[in-house]
Structures are given as structure tokens and as C-alpha cells.
């Protein structure tokens, strides 16, 4: 993605501190805990503070990523409710802002930044995960609509979504990367069957989605017909950089947008504590991944902080976090100068996987036998805390149970290494004829 145009004042670039002061003033004038969530998000989103890294003419403020992360911190520290959680703000908004027409930006991105719609990502299929371009969900033209048939899987938040980022095959008679289209797909329609999948944590974060003669209008094609592979790569780049080490939370707050979660009518102030910290916990029940600070606190509290092996790994974890932060600053500086560092999004995502693995292992070593305690719902969590007297009881087990996920979603660790090898190090691509042979003629598993 090219660097977003930074905000300017009187022809000069605005300094981040000036912007943060402007934000604090704005919050002083606008935050009111008695607004509904929907009313508050409308103010926040239309002022450009919900998605500040989007361009200024596309519901953002043209900030670079680190400054956008600071915006979230300022909002949280002020004690106001943060922007909507989820994949709309993280992936769909930036993708449509980059590839959509003006009309599509006003139709979709506006509703994303004000939290009116929730989105899911309809990319992976049972036979197409790492080999995403091998997808078989078909979209067939019917007048000014497309009829969609196929199956998606691992669809995070599909049960709350109003719209989906759908990639489907619109031309099987060309090589596989060339016949795919990216659609903004309406989830509330006949022919869309969302079935939850339960994970190790006991939560059902993701779903399988069956599409049977579902419909999507031609006006919902984003980035051009058959050009979906390029558009999907934009989505994946935002996913990898948003989830990578040093990337903050990628724009996600803790309150869910959209019509299904039914939180838009609730009082905004009920989602923040008097000290300003958000009350809600993440749906996975996990603590922040890769956080050395949390583990240092736990090690101090249960007397393990003097163990030299624990100390060594705590420092390793802290250093990995710092390297991620410095890499992110390096990338920011390069982009501000109109350059890029090839493979940086992949490197930071890989590093986040490493940090989550180390945190999980370290957390269980620090916790000892208490690390086996876990509860599958709010009542169970409350009982666990009451029985142990430890407000973080179960949190380290939750972190460990969720730890395999970051090395899989957004492209597995192996796939990140392949990309770094090919695109950053210039190693030869895997041999094969899939870039020249029509998709319909390629061998398939089924
Ligand atoms: C928590 C979570 C949330 C997710 N949310 C979503 C979502 O919202 N929407 C969505 O569309 N998808 C989602 N996914 C799916 C995710 O993108 C896929 O799981 C991922 O791309 C891997 O695909 P796969 O599971 O089919 O594994 P496969 O592609 O079958 O891979 C199996 C193994 O083979 C390895 N492998 C495959 N190809 C190669 C190769 N060329 N070189 C080296 N090794 C290789 C992989 O690294 C992996 O270890 C989610 C996954 C998780 C875990």
C-alpha cells in the first residue's frame, strides 16, 4: 500500500503530538457516556478517529500506523469507548478505501467506521487455505447479479456479520489467479447458512459458511471483475501488518459493531470503567498475546521472578517485542520517505507467532500446576477466581489454548517464510504450470 497522505496544517505536516492534543480536545468536546454506542461511533467515525490510517477523503486522517495506534491509546486513556471491533475496520474498510469507487467507499466504508455494519472474511475453503487461489466457490453472472455456490470455512465472526468479503471464481477458463473476483457480499439472505465451529478454548470464534444460490449485485464487485486476487492480497497485507508484532491491536476495540450483536443501542459509558479502561474482555477469553509485562507481573506475584531460566525467557520475550516495535518504526520511516521494506508485514506476523508461542510456554512454566485451571464461560471464570482468589486465574491457560492460532490465520508460518524467500530474498518460485494453465484444467483433489 502506498503511504497515506499525512494530515497537513497550513501546508506543513502535522506533528503527532499536535494531533494527539487535537484528539484530546475533540474528546473533551464530544465524549458523552450517555450517548448510545451507535451515536458515539457515528461521532468518532465521521471525525476520522475510528480509522485514522485511512486517507483523509475516505473517512480517515491519513496517519501512519504507529500514530494510528497512539490514537487508540489516547482514546482509551481518556476513558472514552474505542472504535468498533472486528474485521470491518481491520480489513474490509482499508481494502475498499484502496480499491473501491467513490460510491462504494460512501456505501461501505462509511458504515464500517461508524460501526453500523459488521464484516467477516469469506476467503478460506476446505480445499483452499494456503493455496487460496485454488478456491472453487463459483459466482455465475445472471443479469446484473451473480449467483454464488460453494463453501467457506474458518469464517471468524460469521455469526455476527452483516456483510462478507467474498472471493469467488468468476472465470475458471483462465489461470487460477486471474479468474477471481472480490465481492462485498450481503450475509442476511436465503442461501447463506452459517454454522459455528467450536475451538480448543470452548468458544466458537469461527464458522463454516455454506452458500447455495446466494446473490450479489454487480455493483458490489470491488476492484474490478476477475481482479480479485490483487484485491485479496491487499486484504491479506492489512491482515498481516495489523496482526504482526509492533502493530498494536489493528484498530479493534472490544465492542461489536453491526446489527446482529445488538450493542449499538446500549449506553456507551457502560463499556468503559470509571478509570477509563474497557470492561469487556476478548471473546476468546485470552489475555493480550505476547505480552511480557503481564508475565513479569505474574512471575513476581507467584515468586518465580528470581528463577534464572524464567528471567532469561522473560527478557527474550521483552526483546522480541522491542525488535517488533523498532521494525515497525523502521517501516514507518521508510514509508514516510516513499520507500518500502519488502517482506516486513510477513516478518512481523512471523514474529508475533513466535512471541505468542513463547508467551504460552513461559506462562505455563510460571503458573505451574495453576496453569491447568481453565473455565469455558463467564460463570465458570467467576467461580475460578472465587476459588483461587486470583483475578487472573485461567488467563494463562486461555493464552496457551489460543496460542496455535496466530501461526495459522492470515497465512501460516511456512507460507510467510515462502513469501519472504521469494519476494524479499529473491529465491526462485516453486516450479509448476499453474500460472499458465486454465484453472479448469488443473488437477484437483476432488
Ligand atoms: C483462529 C483462526 C481464524 C481464522 N479466520 C479466518 C477468517 O475469518 N476467514 C478466512 O477466510 N479464513 C480464516 N482462517 C483460515 C486461515 O487463513 C487458514 O487456516 C490458513 O490460511 C491455512 O489454511 P488451511 O487451514 O487450509 O491449511 P493448509 O493450507 O491445508 O495447510 C496445512 C499445513 O501445510 C502447510 N503448507 C501448505 N502449503 C504449503 C507450502 N506451499 N509450503 C510449505 N508449507 C505449506 C501449512 O503451513 C500448514 O502447516 C482462520 C484460521 C484460524 C486458525
Amino acid at each position: 500500500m502506498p503511504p497515506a497522505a499525512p494530515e497537513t496544517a497550513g501546508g506543513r505536516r502535522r506533528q503527532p503530538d499536535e494531533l494527539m492534543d487535537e484528539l484530546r480536545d475533540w474528546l473533551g468536546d464530544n465524549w458523552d457516556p450517555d450517548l448510545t454506542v451507535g451515536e458515539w461511533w457515528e461521532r468518532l467515525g465521521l471525525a476520522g478517529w475510528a480509522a485514522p490510517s485511512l486517507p483523509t477523503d475516505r473517512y480517515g486522517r491519513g496517519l501512519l500506523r504507529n500514530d494510528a495506534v497512539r490514537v487508540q491509546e489516547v482514546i482509551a486513556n481518556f476513558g472514552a469507548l474505542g472504535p468498533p471491533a472486528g474485521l470491518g475496520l481491520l480489513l474490509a474498510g482499508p481494502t475498499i478505501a484502496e480499491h473501491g469507487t467513490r460510491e462504494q467507499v460512501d456505501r461501505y466504508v462509511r458504515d464500517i467506521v461508524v460501526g453500523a455494519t459488521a464484516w467477516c472474511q469469506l476467503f478460506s475453503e476446505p480445499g483452499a487455505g494456503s493455496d487460496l487461489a485454488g478456491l472453487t466457490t463459483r459466482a455465475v453472472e445472471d443479469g446484473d447479479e451473480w449467483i454464488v455456490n460453494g463453501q467457506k470455512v474458518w469464517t471468524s465472526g460469521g455469526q455476527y456479520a452483516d456483510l462478507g468479503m467474498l472471493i469467488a471464481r468468476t472465470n475458471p477458463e483462465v489461470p487460477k489467479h486471474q479468474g477471481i473476483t472480490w465481492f462485498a457480499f450481503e450475509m442476511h439472505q436465503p442461501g447463506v447458512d452459517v454454522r459455528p465451529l467450536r475451538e480448543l478454548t470452548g468458544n466458537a470464534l469461527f464458522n463454516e459458511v455454506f452458500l447455495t444460490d446466494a446473490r450479489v449485485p454487480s455493483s458490489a464487485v470491488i476492484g474490478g471483475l476477475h481482479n480479485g486476487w490483487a484485491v485479496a492480497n491487499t486484504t491479506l497485507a492489512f491482515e498481516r501488518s495489523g496482526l504482526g508484532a509492533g502493530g498494536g491491536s489493528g484498530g479493534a476495540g472490544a465492542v461489536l459493531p453491526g446489527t446482529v450483536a445488538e450493542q449499538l443501542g446500549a449506553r456507551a459509558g457502560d463499556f468503559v470503567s470509571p478509570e477509563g479502561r474497557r470492561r469487556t474482555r476478548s471473546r476468546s477469553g485470552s489475555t493480550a498475546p505476547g505480552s511480557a509485562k503481564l508475565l513479569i507481573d505474574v512471575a513476581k506475584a507467584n515468586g518465580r521472578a528470581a528463577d534464572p531460566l524464567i528471567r532469561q525467557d522473560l527478557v527474550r520475550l521483552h526483546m522480541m517485542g522491542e525488535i517488533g516495535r523498532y521494525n515497525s518504526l523502521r517501516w514507518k520511516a521508510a514509508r514516510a520517505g516513499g520507500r518500502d521494506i519488502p517482506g516486513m508485514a510477513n516478518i512481523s506476523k512471523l514474529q508475533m507467532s513466535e512471541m505468542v508461542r513463547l508467551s504460552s510456554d513461559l506462562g505455563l512454566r510460571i503458573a505451574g500446576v495453576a496453569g491447568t485451571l481453565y473455565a469455558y464461560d463467564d460463570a465458570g471464570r467467576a467461580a475460578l477466581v472465587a476459588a483461587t482468589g486470583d483475578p487472573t486465574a485461567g488467563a494463562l491457560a486461555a493464552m496457551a489454548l489460543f496460542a496455535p492460532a496466530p501461526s495459522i490465520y492470515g497465512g501460516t508460518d511456512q507460507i510467510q517464510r515462502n513469501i519472504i524467500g521469494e519476494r524479499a530474498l529473491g529465491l526462485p518460485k516453486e516450479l509448476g504450470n499453474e500460472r499458465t494453465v486454465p484453472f479448469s484444467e488443473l488437477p484437483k483433489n476432488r
Side-chain angles (χ1 to χ4, degrees), residues 56-302:
T56 46
D57 62 346
R58 298 189 167 220
Y59 300 99
R61 289 186 160 250
L63 300 191
L64 293 170
R65 195 161 126 240
N66 290 52
D67 295 329
V69 171
R70 279 189 66 195
V71 164
Q72 281 190 54
E73 288 164 4
V74 169
I75 296 172
N77 291 339
F78 189 90
L81 178 66
L87 299 185
L89 215 57
L90 184 68
L91 305 181
T95 304
I96 298 171
E98 190 161 326
H99 293 278
T101 61
R102 179 75 250 172
E103 191 273 329
Q104 288 173 328
V105 169
D106 290 334
R107 188 179 350 147
Y108 299 117
V109 181
R110 185 198 179 283
D111 280 356
I112 289 172
V113 300
V114 303
T117 51
W119 285 67
C120 64
Q121 184 187 25
L122 298 166
F123 279 21
S124 304
E125 298 181 2
S130 300
D131 177 24
L132 188 57
L135 60 88
T136 56
T137 292
R138 283 295 312 271
V140 176
E141 200 166 12
D142 180 33
D144 54 9
E145 285 188 324
W146 293 77
I147 301 175
V148 186
N149 281 284
Q151 187 198 338
K152 297 290 175 175
V153 74
W154 313 126
T155 312
S156 304
Q159 66 273 53
Y160 301 107
D162 300 296
L163 288 141
M165 298 163 253
L166 170 71
I167 50 175
R169 190 159 301 284
T170 40
N171 184 358
E173 303 310 328
V174 291
K176 64 180 184 180
H177 297 89
Q178 296 172 24
I180 294 171
T181 298
W182 200 112
F183 294 97
F185 178 81
E186 175 60 59
M187 293 291 285
H188 307 306
Q189 60 167 308
V192 178
D193 183 10
V194 181
R195 299 184 199 166
L197 292 168
R198 204 154 290 282
E199 323 137 28
L200 280 177
T201 57
N203 298 318
L205 171 75
F206 40 58
N207 305 267
E208 46 188 357
V209 177
F210 295 85
L211 304 167
T212 311
D213 292 333
R215 287 181 172 264
V216 59
S218 299
S219 61
V221 170
I222 307 291
L225 195 57
H226 311 313
N227 190 39
W229 186 244
V231 186
N233 270 294
T234 299
T235 313
L236 291 173
F238 283 115
E239 184 167 6
R240 286 163 191 165
S241 60
L243 299 172
S249 69
V255 185
L256 293 177
T259 60
V260 183
E262 295 185 339
Q263 292 185 319
L264 295 176
R267 183 178 171 272
D270 289 347
F271 293 93
V272 289
S273 67
E275 312 83 54
R277 299 244 289 286
R278 285 190 202 100
R279 267 193 200 141
T280 35
R281 54 188 294 140
S282 78
R283 286 200 169 251
S284 66
S286 64
T287 49
S291 162
K293 168 89 178 66
L294 170 87
L295 294 179
I296 290 168
D297 289 347
V298 178
K300 282 181 179 163
N302 72 2

